[in-house]
Amino acid sequence: MLKPDAVQNGHAGAILDHILKAGFRVVAMKYTRLSEDTAGKFYAIHRERPFYGELVRCMSSGPIYAAILEKENAVEDFRNLIGATDPAKAAPGTIRQLFAKSIEANAVHGSDSDDNADREGNFFFSEFERF
Ligand code: ATP
Ligand code: MG
């Protein structure tokens, strides 16, 4: 996902350029907005964390781009491309170091396992929206 802060700040095109140049293929993509309810379900895994309410508010604050990306070793390579959760700690040249504002408004979301990538892809896309 390209998160609301990245879209609002006009970074969506530049971030997508980084992703494509890193060798990811777009299988599906849409421009949409999460309601608080939907954002809460997407991040339900973090329900008990202290930042959950703020995370849900942040993720529903504006439109996002959701995408399914494909590549060998995609989960690990994408996380290396985006950098650490906190942009202040993200390595130079990573998407979060270049484009993120704060630990909560951190520009992009990446799945943390193949299983969660499947689950999250199914959250946004039907089989007819994948190419
Ligand atoms: P994501 O799952 O969005 O790709 P991540 O895997 O790097 O990020 P997680 O630990 O899964 O980090 O946290 C999910 C999201 O919750 C983060 O991307 C960030 O927006 C928010 N978040 C995480 N830790 C904090 C924190 N300490 N304070 C505020 N927000 C946080
Ligand atoms: Mg995560």
Coordinates of all heavy atoms in Angstrom, one line a residue, residues 8-85:
Q8 N -1.0 12.1 -0.1 CA -1.3 13.5 0.1 C -0.1 14.4 -0.2 O -0.2 15.5 -0.6 CB -1.6 13.7 1.6 CG -3.1 13.6 1.9 CD -3.5 13.2 3.3 OE1 -2.7 13.4 4.2 NE2 -4.7 12.7 3.5
N9 N 1.1 13.9 0.0 CA 2.4 14.6 -0.2 C 2.9 14.6 -1.6 O 3.9 15.1 -1.9 CB 3.5 14.2 0.8 CG 3.2 14.5 2.2 OD1 2.5 15.5 2.5 ND2 3.6 13.7 3.1
G10 N 2.1 13.9 -2.5 CA 2.5 13.9 -3.9 C 3.6 12.9 -4.3 O 4.3 13.1 -5.3
H11 N 3.9 11.9 -3.4 CA 5.0 11.0 -3.6 C 4.6 9.7 -4.3 O 5.5 8.9 -4.5 CB 5.7 10.7 -2.3 CG 6.3 11.8 -1.6 ND1 7.1 12.8 -2.2 CD2 6.3 12.2 -0.3 CE1 7.5 13.7 -1.4 NE2 7.0 13.4 -0.2
A12 N 3.3 9.5 -4.6 CA 2.9 8.2 -5.2 C 3.7 7.8 -6.4 O 4.1 6.7 -6.6 CB 1.4 8.2 -5.4
G13 N 3.8 8.8 -7.4 CA 4.5 8.4 -8.6 C 5.9 8.1 -8.4 O 6.4 7.1 -9.0
A14 N 6.6 8.9 -7.6 CA 8.1 8.6 -7.3 C 8.2 7.3 -6.6 O 9.2 6.5 -6.9 CB 8.6 9.7 -6.5
I15 N 7.4 6.9 -5.7 CA 7.5 5.7 -5.0 C 7.2 4.5 -5.9 O 8.0 3.5 -5.9 CB 6.5 5.6 -3.7 CG1 7.0 6.7 -2.7 CG2 6.5 4.2 -3.1 CD1 6.0 6.9 -1.5
L16 N 6.2 4.6 -6.7 CA 5.9 3.6 -7.7 C 7.1 3.4 -8.6 O 7.5 2.2 -9.0 CB 4.6 3.9 -8.5 CG 4.1 2.8 -9.4 CD1 3.9 1.5 -8.6 CD2 2.8 3.2 -10.1
D17 N 7.7 4.4 -9.0 CA 8.9 4.4 -9.9 C 10.0 3.5 -9.2 O 10.7 2.7 -9.8 CB 9.4 5.8 -10.2 CG 10.5 5.8 -11.3 OD1 10.2 5.2 -12.4 OD2 11.5 6.4 -11.1
H18 N 10.3 3.8 -7.9 CA 11.3 3.0 -7.2 C 10.9 1.5 -7.2 O 11.8 0.7 -7.3 CB 11.3 3.5 -5.7 CG 12.3 4.6 -5.5 ND1 13.5 4.5 -5.0 CD2 12.1 6.0 -5.7 CE1 14.1 5.7 -4.9 NE2 13.2 6.6 -5.3
I19 N 9.6 1.3 -7.0 CA 9.2 -0.1 -6.9 C 9.4 -0.9 -8.2 O 9.9 -2.0 -8.2 CB 7.7 -0.2 -6.4 CG1 7.6 0.3 -5.0 CG2 7.1 -1.6 -6.6 CD1 6.1 0.6 -4.5
L20 N 9.0 -0.2 -9.3 CA 9.1 -0.8 -10.6 C 10.6 -1.0 -11.0 O 11.0 -2.0 -11.5 CB 8.4 0.0 -11.7 CG 6.8 0.0 -11.5 CD1 6.2 0.9 -12.5 CD2 6.2 -1.4 -11.5
K21 N 11.4 0.0 -10.7 CA 12.8 -0.1 -11.0 C 13.5 -1.1 -10.2 O 14.6 -1.6 -10.6 CB 13.5 1.3 -10.9 CG 13.1 2.2 -12.0 CD 13.9 3.5 -12.0 CE 13.6 4.3 -13.2 NZ 13.4 5.7 -13.0
A22 N 13.0 -1.5 -9.0 CA 13.6 -2.6 -8.2 C 13.1 -3.9 -8.7 O 13.5 -5.0 -8.1 CB 13.2 -2.4 -6.8
G23 N 12.4 -4.0 -9.8 CA 12.1 -5.3 -10.4 C 10.8 -5.9 -10.0 O 10.5 -7.1 -10.3
F24 N 9.9 -5.2 -9.3 CA 8.6 -5.7 -8.9 C 7.6 -5.6 -10.1 O 7.7 -4.6 -10.8 CB 8.0 -5.0 -7.7 CG 8.7 -5.4 -6.5 CD1 9.9 -4.6 -6.1 CD2 8.3 -6.4 -5.7 CE1 10.6 -5.0 -4.9 CE2 9.0 -6.7 -4.5 CZ 10.2 -6.0 -4.2
R25 N 6.8 -6.6 -10.3 CA 5.7 -6.5 -11.3 C 4.4 -6.3 -10.6 O 4.1 -6.9 -9.6 CB 5.7 -7.9 -12.0 CG 4.9 -7.9 -13.3 CD 4.9 -9.3 -14.0 NE 4.0 -10.2 -13.4 CZ 2.7 -10.2 -13.5 NH1 2.1 -9.3 -14.3 NH2 1.9 -11.1 -13.0
V26 N 3.6 -5.4 -11.2 CA 2.3 -5.1 -10.7 C 1.3 -6.2 -11.2 O 1.1 -6.3 -12.4 CB 1.8 -3.7 -11.1 CG1 0.3 -3.5 -10.6 CG2 2.7 -2.6 -10.5
V27 N 0.7 -6.9 -10.3 CA -0.3 -7.9 -10.6 C -1.7 -7.3 -10.5 O -2.6 -7.6 -11.3 CB -0.2 -9.1 -9.6 CG1 -1.3 -10.1 -9.8 CG2 1.1 -9.8 -9.8
A28 N -1.9 -6.4 -9.6 CA -3.2 -5.7 -9.4 C -2.9 -4.4 -8.7 O -1.9 -4.3 -7.9 CB -4.1 -6.5 -8.5
M29 N -3.7 -3.4 -9.0 CA -3.6 -2.1 -8.3 C -4.9 -1.3 -8.3 O -5.6 -1.4 -9.3 CB -2.5 -1.2 -9.0 CG -2.3 0.2 -8.4 SD -0.9 1.0 -9.0 CE 0.3 0.5 -7.8
K30 N -5.2 -0.6 -7.2 CA -6.3 0.3 -7.2 C -6.1 1.5 -6.3 O -5.3 1.4 -5.3 CB -7.6 -0.5 -6.8 CG -7.7 -1.0 -5.4 CD -9.1 -1.6 -5.1 CE -9.5 -2.8 -6.0 NZ -10.6 -3.6 -5.5
Y31 N -6.8 2.6 -6.6 CA -6.8 3.8 -5.9 C -8.1 3.8 -5.1 O -9.2 3.7 -5.7 CB -6.7 5.0 -6.8 CG -6.6 6.3 -6.2 CD1 -5.6 6.7 -5.4 CD2 -7.6 7.3 -6.5 CE1 -5.5 7.9 -4.8 CE2 -7.4 8.6 -6.0 CZ -6.4 8.9 -5.2 OH -6.3 10.2 -4.6
T32 N -8.0 3.8 -3.8 CA -9.2 3.7 -3.0 C -9.0 4.3 -1.6 O -7.9 4.9 -1.3 CB -9.6 2.2 -2.8 OG1 -10.9 2.1 -2.1 CG2 -8.6 1.4 -2.1
R33 N -10.1 4.3 -0.8 CA -9.9 4.9 0.6 C -10.5 3.9 1.6 O -11.6 3.4 1.4 CB -10.6 6.2 0.7 CG -10.4 6.8 2.1 CD -10.9 8.3 2.1 NE -10.8 8.8 3.4 CZ -10.9 10.1 3.7 NH1 -11.1 11.0 2.8 NH2 -10.7 10.5 5.0
L34 N -9.7 3.6 2.7 CA -10.2 2.8 3.7 C -11.0 3.6 4.7 O -10.7 4.7 5.1 CB -9.0 2.2 4.5 CG -8.1 1.3 3.7 CD1 -6.8 0.9 4.5 CD2 -8.7 0.0 3.3
S35 N -12.2 3.0 5.1 CA -12.9 3.6 6.2 C -12.2 3.2 7.5 O -11.3 2.3 7.5 CB -14.3 3.0 6.3 OG -14.3 1.6 6.5
E36 N -12.5 3.8 8.6 CA -11.9 3.4 9.9 C -12.2 2.0 10.2 O -11.3 1.3 10.7 CB -12.4 4.3 11.1 CG -11.8 5.7 11.0 CD -11.8 6.4 12.4 OE1 -11.9 5.7 13.4 OE2 -11.7 7.6 12.4
D37 N -13.4 1.5 9.9 CA -13.7 0.1 10.1 C -12.9 -0.8 9.3 O -12.3 -1.8 9.8 CB -15.2 0.0 9.8 CG -15.7 -1.4 10.1 OD1 -15.5 -1.8 11.3 OD2 -16.2 -2.1 9.3
T38 N -12.7 -0.5 8.0 CA -11.9 -1.3 7.1 C -10.4 -1.3 7.5 O -9.7 -2.3 7.5 CB -12.1 -0.9 5.7 OG1 -13.5 -0.6 5.4 CG2 -11.6 -1.9 4.7
A39 N -9.9 -0.1 7.8 CA -8.5 0.0 8.2 C -8.3 -0.8 9.5 O -7.2 -1.5 9.7 CB -8.1 1.5 8.4
G40 N -9.2 -0.8 10.4 CA -9.1 -1.5 11.7 C -9.1 -3.0 11.4 O -8.3 -3.7 12.1
K41 N -9.8 -3.5 10.4 CA -9.8 -4.9 10.1 C -8.5 -5.3 9.4 O -7.9 -6.3 9.7 CB -11.0 -5.2 9.1 CG -12.3 -5.3 9.9 CD -13.4 -5.8 9.0 CE -14.7 -5.8 9.9 NZ -15.8 -5.1 9.2
F42 N -8.0 -4.4 8.5 CA -6.7 -4.7 7.8 C -5.6 -4.8 8.8 O -4.7 -5.7 8.7 CB -6.4 -3.6 6.8 CG -5.2 -3.9 6.0 CD1 -5.3 -4.6 4.8 CD2 -3.9 -3.4 6.4 CE1 -4.2 -4.9 4.0 CE2 -2.8 -3.8 5.6 CZ -3.0 -4.5 4.5
Y43 N -5.6 -4.0 9.9 CA -4.5 -4.0 10.8 C -4.9 -4.6 12.1 O -4.3 -4.4 13.2 CB -4.0 -2.5 11.1 CG -3.0 -2.0 10.1 CD1 -3.3 -1.0 9.2 CD2 -1.7 -2.6 10.0 CE1 -2.3 -0.5 8.3 CE2 -0.8 -2.2 9.1 CZ -1.0 -1.1 8.3 OH -0.1 -0.7 7.4
A44 N -5.9 -5.5 12.1 CA -6.4 -6.2 13.3 C -5.3 -6.9 14.1 O -5.4 -7.0 15.3 CB -7.5 -7.2 12.9
I45 N -4.3 -7.3 13.4 CA -3.1 -8.0 14.0 C -2.5 -7.1 15.1 O -1.9 -7.6 16.0 CB -2.1 -8.5 13.0 CG1 -1.2 -9.5 13.5 CG2 -1.4 -7.3 12.3 CD1 -0.5 -10.3 12.3
H46 N -2.6 -5.8 14.9 CA -2.0 -4.8 15.9 C -3.0 -4.3 16.9 O -2.7 -3.3 17.6 CB -1.4 -3.6 15.1 CG -0.3 -4.0 14.2 ND1 0.8 -4.7 14.6 CD2 0.0 -3.7 12.9 CE1 1.6 -4.9 13.6 NE2 1.1 -4.3 12.6
R47 N -4.2 -4.9 17.0 CA -5.3 -4.4 17.9 C -4.8 -4.1 19.3 O -5.3 -3.1 19.9 CB -6.4 -5.4 17.9 CG -7.7 -4.8 18.3 CD -8.9 -5.7 17.9 NE -8.5 -7.1 17.8 CZ -8.9 -8.0 16.8 NH1 -9.8 -7.5 16.0 NH2 -8.5 -9.2 16.8
E48 N -3.9 -4.9 19.8 CA -3.5 -4.7 21.2 C -2.4 -3.7 21.4 O -2.0 -3.4 22.5 CB -3.1 -6.0 21.9 CG -4.2 -7.1 21.8 CD -5.5 -6.8 22.3 OE1 -5.5 -6.0 23.3 OE2 -6.5 -7.2 21.8
R49 N -1.8 -3.2 20.3 CA -0.7 -2.3 20.4 C -1.1 -0.9 20.8 O -2.3 -0.5 20.4 CB 0.1 -2.3 19.1 CG 0.5 -3.6 18.5 CD 1.8 -4.2 19.0 NE 2.9 -3.5 18.4 CZ 3.5 -3.9 17.3 NH1 3.0 -4.8 16.5 NH2 4.6 -3.3 16.9
P50 N -0.3 -0.1 21.5 CA -0.7 1.2 22.0 C -1.0 2.2 20.8 O -1.8 3.1 21.0 CB 0.4 1.7 22.8 CG 1.6 0.8 22.5 CD 1.0 -0.5 22.0
F51 N -0.4 1.9 19.7 CA -0.6 2.9 18.6 C -1.7 2.5 17.6 O -1.9 3.2 16.6 CB 0.7 3.0 17.8 CG 1.3 1.7 17.3 CD1 0.8 1.1 16.1 CD2 2.3 1.0 17.9 CE1 1.2 -0.1 15.6 CE2 2.8 -0.2 17.5 CZ 2.2 -0.8 16.3
Y52 N -2.5 1.5 18.0 CA -3.5 1.0 17.0 C -4.5 2.0 16.6 O -4.8 2.2 15.4 CB -4.2 -0.2 17.7 CG -5.4 -0.8 16.9 CD1 -5.1 -1.5 15.7 CD2 -6.7 -0.7 17.3 CE1 -6.1 -2.1 15.0 CE2 -7.7 -1.2 16.5 CZ -7.5 -1.9 15.4 OH -8.5 -2.5 14.7
G53 N -5.1 2.8 17.6 CA -6.1 3.8 17.3 C -5.5 4.9 16.3 O -6.2 5.2 15.3
E54 N -4.3 5.3 16.6 CA -3.7 6.3 15.8 C -3.4 5.7 14.4 O -3.5 6.4 13.4 CB -2.4 6.8 16.5 CG -1.8 8.0 15.9 CD -2.7 9.2 15.7 OE1 -3.7 9.3 16.5 OE2 -2.5 10.0 14.8
L55 N -3.0 4.5 14.3 CA -2.7 3.8 13.1 C -3.9 3.8 12.2 O -3.9 4.1 11.0 CB -2.1 2.4 13.3 CG -1.9 1.5 12.1 CD1 -0.8 2.1 11.2 CD2 -1.4 0.1 12.6
V56 N -5.1 3.4 12.8 CA -6.3 3.3 12.1 C -6.8 4.6 11.6 O -7.2 4.8 10.4 CB -7.4 2.6 13.0 CG1 -8.8 2.8 12.4 CG2 -7.1 1.1 13.2
R57 N -6.6 5.6 12.4 CA -7.0 7.0 12.0 C -6.1 7.5 10.9 O -6.6 8.0 9.9 CB -6.8 8.0 13.2 CG -7.5 9.3 13.0 CD -6.9 10.4 13.9 NE -5.4 10.5 13.8 CZ -4.8 11.1 12.7 NH1 -5.5 11.6 11.7 NH2 -3.5 11.1 12.7
C58 N -4.9 7.2 11.0 CA -3.9 7.6 9.9 C -4.2 6.9 8.6 O -4.2 7.5 7.5 CB -2.5 7.3 10.5 SG -1.2 8.1 9.7
M59 N -4.5 5.6 8.7 CA -4.6 4.8 7.4 C -6.0 5.1 6.7 O -6.1 4.8 5.6 CB -4.6 3.3 7.8 CG -3.2 2.8 8.1 SD -1.9 3.2 6.8 CE -2.7 2.3 5.4
S60 N -6.9 5.7 7.5 CA -8.2 6.1 6.9 C -8.3 7.5 6.6 O -9.4 8.0 6.2 CB -9.3 5.6 7.8 OG -9.2 6.2 9.1
S61 N -7.2 8.3 6.7 CA -7.3 9.8 6.6 C -7.3 10.3 5.2 O -7.5 11.5 5.0 CB -6.1 10.4 7.3 OG -4.9 10.0 6.7
G62 N -7.1 9.4 4.2 CA -7.2 9.8 2.8 C -7.0 8.6 1.9 O -6.8 7.5 2.4
P63 N -7.1 8.9 0.6 CA -6.9 7.7 -0.3 C -5.5 7.1 -0.3 O -4.6 7.7 0.1 CB -7.2 8.3 -1.7 CG -7.2 9.8 -1.5 CD -7.4 10.1 -0.1
I64 N -5.5 5.8 -0.7 CA -4.3 5.0 -0.8 C -4.2 4.4 -2.2 O -5.2 4.3 -2.9 CB -4.3 3.9 0.2 CG1 -5.5 3.0 0.0 CG2 -4.3 4.5 1.6 CD1 -5.3 1.6 0.5
Y65 N -3.1 3.9 -2.6 CA -3.0 2.9 -3.6 C -2.7 1.5 -3.0 O -1.7 1.4 -2.2 CB -1.8 3.2 -4.6 CG -2.0 4.5 -5.4 CD1 -1.7 5.7 -4.9 CD2 -2.4 4.4 -6.7 CE1 -1.9 6.9 -5.7 CE2 -2.6 5.5 -7.5 CZ -2.4 6.8 -7.0 OH -2.5 7.9 -7.7
A66 N -3.5 0.6 -3.3 CA -3.3 -0.8 -2.9 C -2.8 -1.6 -4.1 O -3.2 -1.3 -5.2 CB -4.6 -1.4 -2.4
A67 N -1.8 -2.5 -3.9 CA -1.3 -3.2 -5.0 C -0.8 -4.6 -4.5 O -0.5 -4.8 -3.4 CB -0.1 -2.5 -5.6
I68 N -0.9 -5.6 -5.5 CA -0.3 -6.9 -5.3 C 1.0 -6.8 -6.2 O 0.9 -6.5 -7.4 CB -1.2 -8.0 -5.8 CG1 -2.4 -8.1 -4.9 CG2 -0.4 -9.3 -5.8 CD1 -3.4 -9.2 -5.4
L69 N 2.1 -7.1 -5.6 CA 3.4 -7.0 -6.4 C 4.0 -8.4 -6.4 O 3.8 -9.2 -5.4 CB 4.4 -6.1 -5.7 CG 3.9 -4.6 -5.5 CD1 4.8 -3.8 -4.6 CD2 3.7 -4.0 -6.9
E70 N 4.7 -8.7 -7.5 CA 5.2 -10.0 -7.7 C 6.7 -9.9 -8.0 O 7.2 -9.1 -8.8 CB 4.5 -10.7 -8.8 CG 4.9 -12.2 -9.1 CD 4.0 -12.8 -10.2 OE1 4.2 -12.5 -11.3 OE2 3.0 -13.4 -9.8
K71 N 7.5 -10.8 -7.4 CA 9.0 -10.9 -7.6 C 9.5 -12.1 -6.9 O 8.9 -12.6 -5.9 CB 9.6 -9.6 -7.0 CG 11.1 -9.5 -7.3 CD 11.6 -8.2 -6.6 CE 13.1 -8.0 -6.9 NZ 13.9 -9.1 -6.4
E72 N 10.6 -12.7 -7.3 CA 11.3 -13.7 -6.5 C 11.6 -13.0 -5.2 O 12.1 -11.9 -5.1 CB 12.6 -14.1 -7.2 CG 12.5 -15.2 -8.3 CD 11.9 -16.5 -7.7 OE1 12.4 -17.0 -6.7 OE2 11.0 -17.0 -8.4
N73 N 11.4 -13.8 -4.1 CA 11.8 -13.3 -2.8 C 11.2 -11.9 -2.4 O 11.8 -11.0 -1.8 CB 13.3 -13.1 -2.7 CG 13.9 -13.2 -1.3 OD1 13.4 -13.9 -0.5 ND2 14.9 -12.4 -1.0
A74 N 9.9 -11.8 -2.9 CA 9.3 -10.4 -2.8 C 9.1 -9.8 -1.4 O 9.4 -8.7 -1.3 CB 7.9 -10.5 -3.5
V75 N 8.7 -10.6 -0.5 CA 8.5 -10.1 0.9 C 9.8 -9.5 1.4 O 9.8 -8.3 1.8 CB 7.9 -11.2 1.8 CG1 8.0 -10.7 3.3 CG2 6.5 -11.5 1.4
E76 N 10.9 -10.2 1.4 CA 12.1 -9.7 2.0 C 12.7 -8.6 1.1 O 13.1 -7.5 1.7 CB 13.1 -10.9 2.0 CG 14.4 -10.5 2.8 CD 15.4 -11.7 2.8 OE1 15.1 -12.8 2.4 OE2 16.6 -11.4 3.1
D77 N 12.6 -8.7 -0.2 CA 13.2 -7.7 -1.0 C 12.4 -6.3 -0.9 O 13.0 -5.3 -0.9 CB 13.2 -8.1 -2.5 CG 14.3 -9.1 -2.8 OD1 15.0 -9.5 -1.8 OD2 14.4 -9.5 -4.0
F78 N 11.0 -6.5 -0.8 CA 10.3 -5.3 -0.6 C 10.5 -4.6 0.7 O 10.6 -3.3 0.8 CB 8.8 -5.6 -0.8 CG 7.9 -4.3 -0.9 CD1 7.9 -3.6 -2.1 CD2 7.1 -3.8 0.1 CE1 7.1 -2.5 -2.3 CE2 6.4 -2.7 0.0 CZ 6.4 -2.0 -1.2
R79 N 10.7 -5.4 1.7 CA 11.0 -4.8 3.0 C 12.4 -4.1 3.0 O 12.6 -3.0 3.7 CB 10.9 -5.8 4.2 CG 9.4 -6.3 4.2 CD 9.1 -7.0 5.5 NE 9.0 -6.1 6.6 CZ 7.9 -5.4 6.9 NH1 6.8 -5.5 6.2 NH2 7.9 -4.6 7.9
N80 N 13.3 -4.6 2.3 CA 14.6 -4.0 2.2 C 14.5 -2.7 1.4 O 15.2 -1.7 1.6 CB 15.6 -4.9 1.5 CG 16.1 -6.0 2.5 OD1 16.0 -5.9 3.7 ND2 16.5 -7.2 1.9
L81 N 13.6 -2.7 0.4 CA 13.4 -1.5 -0.5 C 12.7 -0.4 0.3 O 13.1 0.8 0.1 CB 12.5 -1.9 -1.7 CG 12.2 -0.8 -2.7 CD1 13.5 -0.4 -3.5 CD2 11.1 -1.2 -3.6
I82 N 11.8 -0.7 1.2 CA 11.1 0.3 1.9 C 11.8 0.8 3.2 O 11.7 2.0 3.6 CB 9.6 -0.1 2.3 CG1 9.5 -1.2 3.3 CG2 8.8 -0.4 1.1 CD1 8.1 -1.6 3.7
G83 N 12.6 0.0 3.8 CA 13.4 0.4 5.0 C 12.7 0.2 6.3 O 11.5 -0.2 6.3
A84 N 13.3 0.6 7.4 CA 12.8 0.4 8.7 C 11.5 1.1 8.9 O 11.2 2.1 8.3 CB 13.8 0.8 9.7
T85 N 10.7 0.6 9.9 CA 9.4 1.2 10.2 C 9.5 2.7 10.5 O 8.7 3.5 10.0 CB 8.7 0.5 11.4 OG1 8.8 -0.9 11.1 CG2 7.3 0.9 11.6

